[in-house]
């Protein structure tokens, strides 16, 4: 049925998560070139803390998604439906893995892990090589996620305009 919509909470969680994601990507891109010092330390600390908020929002979204039925999809060609499912699975997978890789990277530095100033445990020890590996994976997957978000946005625009054409 075309008239069905996502719940208000689903929509709010989606857009809150999207805004946090945009902040994290732009902040992360900006902070990587900062010289070592207090400003860089603050920037990285904020990136980690906001990343943990994004991770929590992700889990709320997943729980909500599995406990509340999605609206019925408009009939689309088989390949469009398959592509949409693949993109969504990859988005969810990366929204889970990217923060884990960031946390793992931070676990292998000499710096304490903090969530807005509150100390958190680390699973690693001081090891610059392991830190660099996880940091590179985190960065690569983050940019892969950005690319998938662009695909998601393009798909939403195409989907929205095709629904409008069907209704007119």
């Amino acid at each position: 049925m075309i008239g069905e919509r996502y719940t208000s909470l689903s929509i709010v969680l989606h857009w809150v998560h999207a805004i946090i994601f945009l902040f994290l990507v732009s902040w992360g891109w900006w902070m990587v070139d900062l010289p070592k010092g207090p400003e860089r330390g603050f920037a990285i600390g904020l990136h980690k803390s906001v990343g943990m908020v994004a991770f929590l929002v992700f889990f709320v979204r997943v729980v909500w998604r599995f406990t509340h039925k999605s609206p019925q999809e408009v009939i689309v060609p088989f390949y469009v439906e398959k592509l949409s499912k693949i993109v969504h699975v990859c988005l969810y997978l990366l929204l889970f893995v990217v923060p884990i890789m960031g946390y793992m990277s931070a676990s292998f530095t000499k710096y304490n892990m903090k969530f807005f100033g509150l100390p958190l445990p680390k699973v690693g020890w001081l090891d610059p090589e392991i830190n660099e590996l996880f940091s590179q994976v985190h960065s690569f997957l983050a940019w892969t996620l950005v690319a998938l978000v662009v695909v998601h946005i393009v798909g939403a625009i195409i989907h929205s305009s095709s629904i409008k054409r069907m209704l007119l």
Side-chain angles (χ1 to χ4, degrees):
M1 174 184 306
I2 294 175
E4 287 188 58
R5 292 180 41 108
Y6 283 95
T7 65
S8 295
L9 184 58
S10 293
I11 294 167
V12 167
L13 287 171
H14 175 272
W15 286 107
V16 165
H17 204 194
I19 290 165
I20 294 170
F21 170 79
L22 288 173
F23 170 80
L24 286 168
V25 169
S26 57
W27 190 263
W29 192 11
W30 168 76
M31 74 179 191
V32 295
D33 292 328
L34 290 174
K36 290 190 186 270
E39 186 180 15
R40 181 180 172 93
F42 169 79
I44 291 172
L46 183 61
H47 183 79
K48 290 175 188 177
S49 293
V50 174
M52 287 183 248
V53 170
F55 200 57
L56 293 172
V57 171
F58 167 77
F59 271 106
V60 171
R61 287 185 69 194
V62 168
V63 168
W64 187 260
R65 178 80 170 83
F66 282 110
T67 59
H68 293 78
K69 185 180 150 198
S70 293
Q72 195 172 10
E73 287 294 322
V74 175
I75 296 171
V76 293
F78 174 76
Y79 66 92
V80 172
E81 183 179 343
K82 281 293 180 199
L83 182 60
S84 174
K85 286 185 191 305
I86 290 168
V87 168
H88 278 94
V89 167
C90 290
L91 282 169
Y92 276 91
L93 182 63
L94 287 173
L95 287 168
F96 176 76
V97 174
V98 169
I100 296 291
M101 293 298 103
Y103 173 79
M104 293 304 292
S105 173
S107 287
F108 291 92
T109 67
K110 65 181 179 181
Y111 304 104
N112 294 328
M113 272 298 278
K114 293 183 181 176
F115 178 69
F116 294 108
L118 300 171
L120 295 174
K122 297 190 326 183
V123 296
W125 52 89
L126 178 58
D127 191 322
E129 289 176 3
I130 296 175
N131 164 263
E132 183 60 23
L133 172 68
F134 281 118
S135 181
Q136 291 295 322
V137 172
H138 174 73
S139 181
F140 174 77
L141 292 179
W143 286 112
T144 303
L145 181 55
V146 167
L148 277 174
V149 166
V150 169
V151 170
H152 174 67
I153 291 167
V154 169
I157 291 168
I158 291 168
H159 182 70
S160 172
S161 38
S162 61
I163 289 174
K164 286 178 185 167
R165 277 195 302 272
M166 288 172 51
L167 294 175
L168 296 177

